[in-house]
Amino acid sequence: MNKNFKILTLVATCMSVGYFSGLITRSAITTWYPTLIKPIFNPPNWIFAPVWSLLYVLMGIAAGLVWTKMDHEKEMVKKALLFFAIQLALNSLWSVLFFGLKNPLLALIEIVILLLMIYETYLKFAKINRMASFLLIPYLAWVSFATVLNASIWWLNRG
């Protein structure tokens, strides 16, 4: 497989995960989520779809760039892509916990684990392809912000 095919495959995979996570989120955004007390720094709902779309594209490109190194550094690449797959699954699980189960505390615990897995993926990608690791920085930043937001929502609505 050529480089572009690998990148496009992983971008499509990430976008698919985002799409299915969005299906879980969609109904709660209009019913449950508006009933929550949110911090003043809570972004408007419309910002999440474009931000996540961009992040999924960047994630897919990053993973595709790492995948292209399979012939040269097979074991490192396999391990890095395993961590990538785990964090992608955790990314999707967060939507299930927060919006599907409507459980901000469980989602908070999970997002902390997700953040650690993204960071570990970043470190593994950096050893294989520097650009791939750079492409994960916006994702790390956004999930860091989302962790603070999740914690704030849990704290404000814990009673």
Side-chain angles (χ1 to χ4, degrees):
M1 285 184 272
N2 72 25
K3 180 180 180 176
N4 291 334
F5 180 78
K6 290 177 179 181
I7 291 171
L8 287 174
T9 298
L10 284 165
V11 168
T13 299
C14 291
M15 294 297 286
S16 295
V17 166
Y19 174 77
F20 288 110
S21 295
L23 292 178
I24 295 165
T25 303
R26 191 169 294 133
S27 67
I29 285 289
T30 57
T31 57
W32 172 72
Y33 191 68
T35 68
L36 297 174
I37 302 166
K38 292 177 263 326
I40 58 170
F41 59 86
N42 189 72
N45 290 345
W46 64 265
I47 200 78
F48 290 95
V51 167
W52 275 111
S53 296
L54 175 62
L55 293 175
Y56 285 127
V57 169
L58 295 175
M59 290 164 56
I61 293 169
L65 290 172
V66 168
W67 187 14
T68 64
K69 301 293 185 180
M70 184 68 85
D71 295 338
H72 308 291
E73 303 168 57
K74 188 173 188 169
E75 290 309 310
M76 281 179 61
V77 168
K78 284 170 66 174
K79 192 173 214 178
L81 291 177
L82 174 63
F83 274 81
F84 181 82
I86 292 168
Q87 70 76 30
L88 190 59
L90 288 170
N91 178 304
S92 185
L93 178 59
W94 183 87
S95 295
V96 172
L97 299 175
F98 191 90
F99 289 107
L101 297 180
K102 299 171 179 61
N103 191 329
L105 178 57
L106 193 54
L108 176 59
I109 294 165
E110 193 271 354
I111 201 171
V112 170
I113 297 166
L114 169 60
L115 189 56
L116 294 171
M117 288 301 295
I118 296 167
Y119 182 67
E120 189 61 32
T121 302
Y122 164 83
L123 293 175
K124 295 204 177 321
F125 278 22
K127 292 177 184 174
I128 299 164
N129 183 301
R130 199 89 170 127
M131 179 55 72
S133 66
F134 290 152
L135 291 171
L136 291 182
I137 292 172
Y139 181 38
L140 263 169
W142 184 259
V143 174
S144 296
F145 170 73
T147 302
V148 173
L149 182 59
N150 188 154
S152 300
I153 290 171
W154 168 73
W155 182 259
L156 292 170
N157 293 277
R158 71 189 183 286

